[in-house]
Amino acid sequence: MSLLADLQTALPIAAKPFDAAELRSGLVIVDAVNGFATVGAGYLAPPEPNDQVIRMVGESERLARLFLKRGQPVAAFLDTHEPGKAEPPYPPHCEKGTGEENLVPALSWLESEKGVALIRKDCINGFIGSFDLETGRNRIVDWVNAHRLEAIVVTGICTDICVMDFVLTALSARNHGMMPCLKDIVVYTDGCATYDLPMAATRILGLPPTACHPQSETHHVGLYLMASRGAWLADSIG
Ligand SMILES: [Zn+2]
């Protein structure tokens, strides 16, 4: 039996369809930037074409077109760092001016689209990165409240890192009453992806075994943890 099959037995997840047309819904795309999702675009980009990442980009694009066509708002987080300012424990990535910090080619049309909020952030957690340190305001909270959203649908990369940290914090913020209209935080399973660093690759790269990050398993664990905190896992978005 494979580890993934064991995980599915020990930490089961159950996804169900979500009808985004029924509620005031918005789409949040997390970090679909070149530095994470375009082959060879940087230290943290896929070294070769990866099916899960390709699916994440395709499904994010499809949903962005669907939401905008219906007049539903879209927000996109873009991981963006000042050159030379580290984000431990990661190697340099998505530094301003490298192009890594911009949306992947399939989504770059969002930059000039009305109804799209682009939110640059310099840390894993998009909720934290949305705070303006001078005013104390939070851009993603303001966006949810300005549109009086009842649901947000989340896609992007990485399932168990930037997507998960945002979703878990947003669930707490919702329960704390920061977004009064918000009912559901929906994670679209096929719209999310994570990176693949199998044990064999960590050895070849001279990394410690703890850097190992097998894609299917870590994607599953990310989905499991978000569902266990109250996120709605969706296998289709209507
Ligand atoms: Zn970063």
Side-chain angles (χ1 to χ4, degrees), residues 36 79 81 87 93-94 122-123:
F36 297 148
D79 202 59
H81 296 278
E87 185 194 18
H93 62 276
C94 298
D122 62 356
C123 57

Side-chain angles (χ1 to χ4, degrees), residues 12-34:
I13 57 173
K16 54 186 178 174
F18 179 77
D19 187 355
E22 243 182 29
L23 299 169
R24 278 194 306 277
S25 302
L27 175 67
V28 177
I29 302 172
V30 179
D31 287 348
V33 295
N34 292 314

